[in-house]
Amino acid sequence: MTNTVIVGTQWGDEGKGKIVDLLSEHADDVVRFQGGNNAGHTMVVNGKEIISHLIPSGIIQQKQCFIGNGVVVDPFVLLDEIDYLISNQIDVSPEKLKISNRAHMIMPYHKEIDKAREVKKGKDKIGTTGRGIGPCYEDKATRRGIRFCDLLDIEVFREKVITLMEEKNFYLKHYFKAETIDPEMVVDQVLKIRERLVPYICDVSVALFDGISKGRQILFEGAQGTHLDIEHGTYPFVTSSSTVSGNAANGTGLGPVHLNEIIGIVKAYTTRVGAGPFPTELFDETGDLIQKTGAEFGATTGRKRRCGWLDMVVLRNAARLNSLTGLAITKLDVLDDLEELKICTGYQYNGRVIPDFPPEIKILEECEPVYETLPGWKENTSGLRTYEDLPEKAKKYLTRIEDLSRVPIKIISVGPGREATIIKEKIF
Ligand code: GDP
Ligand code: IMO
Ligand code: MG
């Protein structure tokens, strides 16, 4: 029995959606365990692109999908996404998708506070997606969030929202000098969609556990990336959830013994969207070339992604934090035209080399990456389907990644489509 966890190792957008879609074929259940619609996961099947923000990517292969308790769910976005998938002939009925009764709801005031806070921060802003993610997790931590189970009792729901919004409106009006929101309107808006939401609500922990006892295999779909993790990332330039593999257990209500294989998705270079330190960022024409060749624009906000070289300090950190058992290298094809490639092996700061990822933003901003240079392969890899067929210099680049991370590469992706994949070692 192989339950497999997929996590991003860098700053998100590593290609998790593509790999989850690919591996879904072998899974029975696919579950999201953290984050919300700040995620944008892209699948390309038979040339058609589908982007999901909230619903597990396994829905494309029509697997049983779950949204775990660790996810924050905007109910309006959820219904829009359900409609979008249905319009693409994908079944998203309550038989196919279940939402945890313990998952917290992103409410309209969360989005307003997220945006107002960024405006107030000015040049120091985090560059959030503006989807209300941070303010929703904040309410969860301060124990007054609205959960899906609250929707089951209309009076409980109404009272919680009205009580909480008194404070939200005070904060919006007096601190941010922003428009207040009518609490009755919020209650009415949500109650209008309540009937559509209720059939999806279930105890996800119980359902997954039942499945395990019947031999079902679970694929856990991470969102964001290890260096956006609230505990281990480039704090405060992070998201508000724990993105690492350990949270696949907590965010779904299963114990860690059920996490068997942990695959870290690694873009063959590095990107980051939003603010925050990025030691190997490129500000030259190579960075521009990677950005253009890789079509590096955010799948959620459309922002241009910052691009840079592959960073092994980052990858070693991810290997330890997630207990990675394998790597999936994506977008190798984007590097096809480069004369040479650089891999960062450490950071130089104040005359000494730092081998491990430091917590201080100042050090991350001021350190100099130590690079190793490898020759480019200058061949088109996008049509290749076996490891043996890869150019020798591309294999050398991949082997160096394995040596420096001490994690075996199991999958290599050479294009956005499901078919553009090299399986080096079987996972399921
Ligand atoms: P996610 O958030 O980790 O799921 O990644 P995104 O979907 O936000 O961004 C990854 C982008 O790269 C998407 O546009 C994918 O279609 C694309 N992609 C994934 N794998 C490959 C690959 O191997 N080669 C190329 N050229 N594009 C890829
Ligand atoms: P996927 O799952 C890339 C970034 C935002 C911002 C920071 C905090 O597609 O890899 P938030 O809205 O979460 O409070 O924003 O995190 N961010 C992502 N960057 N990919 C994502 O998801 C991201 N989700 C959030 O850009 O810097
Ligand atoms: Mg993305």
Side-chain angles (χ1 to χ4, degrees):
M1 239 286 300
T2 316
N3 294 324
T4 303
V5 184
I6 301 297
V7 286
T9 57
Q10 294 152 319
W11 279 281
D13 303 326
E14 296 90 349
K16 297 175 292 294
K18 160 166 175 170
I19 303 298
V20 170
D21 168 63
L22 178 83
L23 296 179
S24 291
E25 185 188 342
H26 310 284
D28 299 297
D29 300 328
V30 185
V31 59
R32 276 273 309 264
F33 55 90
Q34 45 72 229
N37 62 309
N38 46 351
H41 295 180
T42 315
M43 285 72 70
V44 178
V45 184
N46 299 327
K48 190 175 163 68
E49 183 180 87
I50 301 257
I51 299 178
S52 82
H53 299 284
L54 207 41
I55 297 174
S57 304
I59 201 74
I60 311 297
Q61 299 245 26
Q62 294 281 260
K63 297 296 165 154
Q64 176 72 56
C65 288
F66 294 92
I67 294 179
N69 54 277
V71 180
V72 288
V73 181
D74 183 325
F76 300 99
V77 172
L78 176 76
L79 292 186
D80 283 350
E81 192 158 300
I82 289 174
D83 290 340
Y84 158 73
L85 291 169
I86 290 173
S87 73
N88 281 285
Q89 288 75 50
I90 296 163
D91 178 6
V92 203
S93 61
E95 283 70 48
K96 278 273 173 258
L97 175 70
K98 295 287 176 203
I99 299 161
S100 169
N101 46 14
R102 291 176 175 82
H104 282 244
M105 290 170 65
I106 297 179
M107 303 292 279
Y109 44 84
H110 290 136
K111 283 189 284 191
E112 290 312 311
I113 291 170
D114 193 359
K115 287 180 204 148
R117 200 175 269 160
E118 287 279 274
V119 170
K120 195 162 172 91
K121 278 199 171 126
K123 66 171 183 29
D124 297 325
K125 70 179 181 193
I126 289 167
T128 73
T129 58
R131 303 299 194 261
I133 307 294
C136 184
Y137 277 115
E138 220 170 283
D139 278 352
K140 178 178 182 169
T142 50
R143 294 155 295 184
R144 65 254 176 97
I146 312 289
R147 297 184 299 166
F148 271 80
C149 59
D150 296 328
L151 265 186
L152 300 177
D153 185 325
I154 294 176
E155 278 322 302
V156 167
F157 176 78
R158 178 186 298 279
E159 203 194 307
K160 281 195 176 175
V161 174
I162 303 277
T163 309
L164 180 60
M165 282 194 68
E166 194 186 329
E167 187 186 315
K168 299 294 174 199
N169 274 332
F170 183 87
Y171 190 43
L172 279 169
K173 183 172 174 189
H174 297 288
Y175 186 67
F176 293 120
K177 315 280 181 238
E179 293 283 312
T180 56
I181 307 168
D182 178 6
E184 289 294 345
M185 190 185 76
V186 171
V187 171
D188 286 351
Q189 280 175 346
V190 179
L191 290 184
K192 260 195 202 128
I193 57 170
R194 178 182 173 276
E195 259 183 51
R196 272 196 82 189
L197 295 169
V198 168
Y200 288 96
I201 303 173
C202 98
D203 192 321
V204 167
S205 166
V206 171
L208 289 174
F209 192 72
D210 279 354
I212 287 175
S213 63
K214 291 177 185 129
R216 290 174 74 85
Q217 301 198 97
I218 306 173
L219 186 58
F220 298 83
E221 177 174 354
Q224 289 80 54
T226 299
H227 294 81
L228 287 172
D229 182 279
I230 184 133
E231 311 272 346
H232 304 288
T234 45
Y235 190 90
F237 298 97
V238 292
T239 190
S240 299
S241 66
S242 184
T243 61
V244 295
S245 62
N247 197 32
N250 199 31
T252 57
L254 290 172
V257 73
H258 297 295
L259 314 178
N260 311 122
E261 176 103 53
I262 297 160
I263 302 295
I265 313 299
V266 186
K267 202 177 270 189
Y269 45 96
T270 311
T271 61
R272 176 163 200 167
V273 59
F278 179 178
T280 63
E281 184 167 10
L282 285 165
F283 299 97
D284 57 7
E285 62 274 19
T286 308
D288 289 345
L289 182 71
I290 293 175
Q291 195 276 328
K292 284 200 183 77
T293 315
E296 293 294 354
F297 290 98
T300 297
T301 55
R303 290 176 290 180
K304 218 179 193 180
R305 292 174 184 151
R306 300 153 65 191
C307 296
W309 295 119
L310 184 63
D311 185 338
M312 296 309 297
V313 183
V314 160
L315 188 49
R316 278 197 299 265
N317 200 37
R320 188 186 67 260
L321 291 169
N322 294 289
S323 298
L324 297 181
T325 58
L327 303 178
I329 308 292
T330 60
K331 305 193 94 162
L332 189 72
D333 56 298
V334 173
L335 304 179
D336 283 352
D337 294 334
L338 297 184
E339 285 294 336
E340 58 180 33
L341 303 157
K342 289 192 174 158
I343 298 183
C344 167
T345 55
Y347 300 152
Q348 180 111 29
Y349 184 73
N350 273 351
R352 66 187 180 93
V353 174
I354 306 176
D356 298 311
F357 200 78
E360 300 91 343
I361 294 297
K362 186 173 164 354
I363 296 183
L364 284 164
E365 277 172 351
E366 292 175 8
C367 68
E368 283 293 320
V370 179
Y371 286 119
E372 219 175 81
T373 304
L374 281 87
W377 45 92
K378 307 271 286 171
E379 274 179 58
N380 185 344
T381 57
S382 63
L384 305 181
R385 299 292 177 262
T386 65
Y387 185 76
E388 288 65 39
D389 287 343
L390 280 171
E392 284 309 314
K393 286 173 182 156
K395 283 188 201 160
K396 214 168 166 191
Y397 185 65
L398 296 171
T399 307
R400 197 65 191 126
I401 296 173
E402 286 183 317
D403 289 347
L404 289 167
S405 67
R406 298 210 188 93
V407 186
I409 293 173
K410 300 198 172 176
I411 298 174
I412 299 146
S413 173
V414 290
R418 190 190 280 165
E419 72 295 339
T421 313
I422 296 170
I423 305 290
K424 189 162 177 267
E425 200 180 307
K426 273 206 161 30
I427 289 174
F428 275 90

